[in-house]
Amino acid sequence: MMVGLLIAGLPRAVSTLVLSAALLCSASLRADEAPWLPVSQVMSELARNPDFVEALYQRLGRNPKAGGILGPDEIKRLREMILGKDFEGLDRFPGLTVRGMGRSVRLAGAMLDRSGDDGPPPGSATVEAAVDEELGIPAAGTPPAPDAYLRPLGFGLESGDRVDPALAERYADGLRLAELLNRLSLNAPDGRPRHRVALDGRTLDTPRALMEALARDGHDVEVRDSRYFANFGDLIYHGRDVLTPFWIDTRLPIPGTDRTLLVPVSHSQHELVVRGRVVNADLSFYFGIDGRAVFRPSVTRDQAWVMGRVAHRYRGEEAMEVIRLAGVIVRAYDAIKRRHPELPFGGYYALGVCNDVNAMIELRMRGETTLFPLTLDPQFFTDEGEVGWLAEGLPLDSRWWSATDPRRILGSIPVDDLATLPLSSLREDLEKVRAASESGHSLRSGAGDFALLGAVVAGLLAAGLWSVRLWFVRRR
């Protein structure tokens, strides 16, 4: 979520490693307990290599692009900790609040501007001429190779994703279907020109119309609201996955301790699964760190530590409504980005993180959302009708007065049973918070402190006004 694309080559290798080191917190994990490694162990081993240390020294903190979307304060702290071999300190870095992340994004964006960065590419243009095309599925294309998305970084490191063989067999159809849904999403709700898909003598000009036609032809269509731990590093060290979540301070007190709850940032997406005699495809829908809210073909396999849970399943009319709304969101984000090309990182954070668009869909379908964190700024959505209303209705964590709801934090955790979480300290903290929440115990986040301060100020103001009134009465 909070990670930008980094420069290629050796500096990119170092930057990716450094950034990943920033994404591990206090939950410890012994190497013999899981098929993955904690970043602290990887860093401690690599720091013994003088070539790595020199490359790190040359890169870290000297180029604003090296830290992705990390602010200068976090880059400075990270540099001091790594060069000082304070690997234990890395285990609680960065631990930012949601508002702290926002500050880092703004500062990182300003540094990119000063460095002469050209900024993100402009958003997709809406349809300017009527286009009619066939479905084009089954689509031509060979499955990606197992290592197609892996990059060797040196020092025993690889970065990227492994290809899932089953998804790879359906990738060509998934890519074609995603392209069609994204193009149809850009059609204006009224007027022309329009992009249209021809299917068995019918012309279809919305994502919902296309999927309804496939369903009528016997295709099975399901949409899954899925949650995972966000994987920002995508690192592999000597063949073993590296644990690289981004830990965030929720400001919720953990009962029986003097600590606040830190959790790995979640990733959410709505997954479209289509099976039938013509189309067999797997897609996902979310707003990514690439600054795009679009349908995407699924082809890679997640690292095991990201877990995975389906919060809601939609079929029939409900599935079609989710697809319709996703298309409306694609068009709304395209329009906003064209109005605001100045937003750094493609609008990431200002227009939300991956969770925000999925929270809109959950709010529409379920009447509430169970996702955390949510960061969008509603001012950018005021001209976007339905999407604007949904944006305004979200419980936004970027507002200073927002109180964190434990139910949304627990709802974002990608397991049905907390006992299955691989990180014991996280599991224990979440169980304490859940027990307190279910018992009706008030868990007040930092926002509650603002409420208390407001009450105190209001009381003092009232007392002051009463004193002034008495003074005037006595003067009469």
Side-chain angles (χ1 to χ4, degrees), residues 285-289 291-293 296 333 346-349 351-354 357:
F285 175 78
Y286 60 91
F287 181 51
I289 60 174
R292 302 171 66 225
R296 306 163 187 264
Y333 270 71
Y348 199 73
Y349 192 90
L351 303 182
V353 291
C354 64
V357 296

Side-chain angles (χ1 to χ4, degrees), residues 124-444:
S124 304
T126 53
V127 177
E128 297 180 356
V131 177
D132 292 317
E133 61 179 310
E134 297 295 326
L135 180 66
I137 300 176
T142 58
D147 60 352
Y149 302 105
L150 290 176
R151 297 188 311 278
L153 302 178
F155 306 108
L157 287 165
E158 292 179 287
S159 177
D161 298 296
R162 299 181 180 94
V163 169
D164 184 297
L167 293 175
E169 291 297 325
R170 298 187 288 270
Y171 177 69
D173 286 2
L175 178 61
R176 174 60 177 169
L177 182 59
E179 291 173 347
L180 291 176
L181 292 176
N182 290 327
R183 291 172 189 167
L184 295 178
S185 297
L186 295 178
N187 283 334
D190 51 15
R192 296 182 182 275
R194 302 184 72 74
H195 198 105
R196 295 180 296 244
V197 175
L199 179 62
D200 295 334
R202 294 162 290 181
T203 55
L204 312 164
D205 60 1
T206 67
R208 173 168 181 155
L210 174 57
M211 298 312 303
E212 285 179 333
L214 291 175
R216 284 194 297 269
D217 287 346
H219 288 77
D220 183 76
V221 178
E222 181 180 45
V223 180
R224 303 167 184 168
D225 178 349
S226 299
R227 287 93 193 271
Y228 306 89
F229 287 136
N231 184 358
F232 300 106
D234 282 321
L235 282 179
I236 301 170
Y237 183 56
H238 291 303
R240 297 182 68 182
D241 295 340
V242 182
L243 189 73
T244 56
F246 189 106
W247 291 74
I248 186 171
D249 186 353
T250 67
R251 297 191 299 165
L252 279 179
I254 301 172
T257 75
D258 59 356
R259 297 180 291 112
T260 54
L261 177 65
L262 276 73
V263 297
V265 167
S266 67
H267 168 77
S268 65
Q269 59 189 31
H270 278 76
E271 298 165 351
L272 174 58
V273 180
V274 185
R275 298 288 185 269
R277 62 180 181 84
V278 177
V279 179
N280 291 277
D282 301 83
L283 309 182
S284 60
F285 175 78
Y286 60 91
F287 181 51
I289 60 174
D290 57 3
R292 302 171 66 225
V294 291
F295 293 94
R296 306 163 187 264
S298 301
V299 70
T300 57
R301 182 174 72 245
D302 291 321
Q303 294 187 358
W305 63 265
V306 307
M307 313 305 284
R309 177 175 70 91
V310 177
H312 310 295
R313 296 178 185 270
Y314 302 106
R315 305 183 70 87
E317 173 60 27
E318 286 190 327
M320 298 305 159
E321 174 59 14
V322 171
I323 293 166
R324 180 200 69 81
L325 182 54
V328 174
I329 292 172
V330 170
R331 178 174 173 78
Y333 270 71
D334 176 77
I336 293 169
K337 290 181 61 177
R338 286 186 287 107
R339 287 199 303 268
H340 296 280
E342 77 283 0
L343 291 175
F345 309 113
Y348 199 73
Y349 192 90
L351 303 182
V353 291
C354 64
N355 291 330
D356 292 65
V357 296
N358 296 297
M360 291 181 194
I361 295 175
E362 188 182 26
L363 180 62
R364 168 67 182 84
M365 301 301 298
R366 316 296 294 193
E368 63 177 356
T369 183
T370 57
L371 285 167
F372 173 89
L374 305 175
T375 72
L376 65 79
D377 187 340
Q379 70 168 320
F380 295 111
F381 295 81
T382 54
D383 296 330
E384 295 307 321
E386 181 180 12
V387 175
W389 305 330
L390 291 170
E392 185 61 41
L394 294 179
L396 301 176
D397 301 294
S398 54
R399 291 168 167 167
W400 64 264
W401 64 85
S402 298
T404 305
D405 186 345
R407 294 175 301 173
R408 286 199 293 121
I409 294 173
L410 292 166
S412 298
I413 301 299
V415 294
D416 291 312
D417 183 358
L418 293 181
T420 62
L421 280 174
L423 303 174
S424 58
S425 60
L426 172 64
R427 180 171 63 246
E428 293 167 1
D429 288 348
L430 287 172
E431 286 173 344
K432 291 177 182 177
V433 169
R434 182 179 63 180
S437 177
E438 291 177 350
S439 67
H441 179 73
S442 176
L443 292 173
R444 190 181 66 200

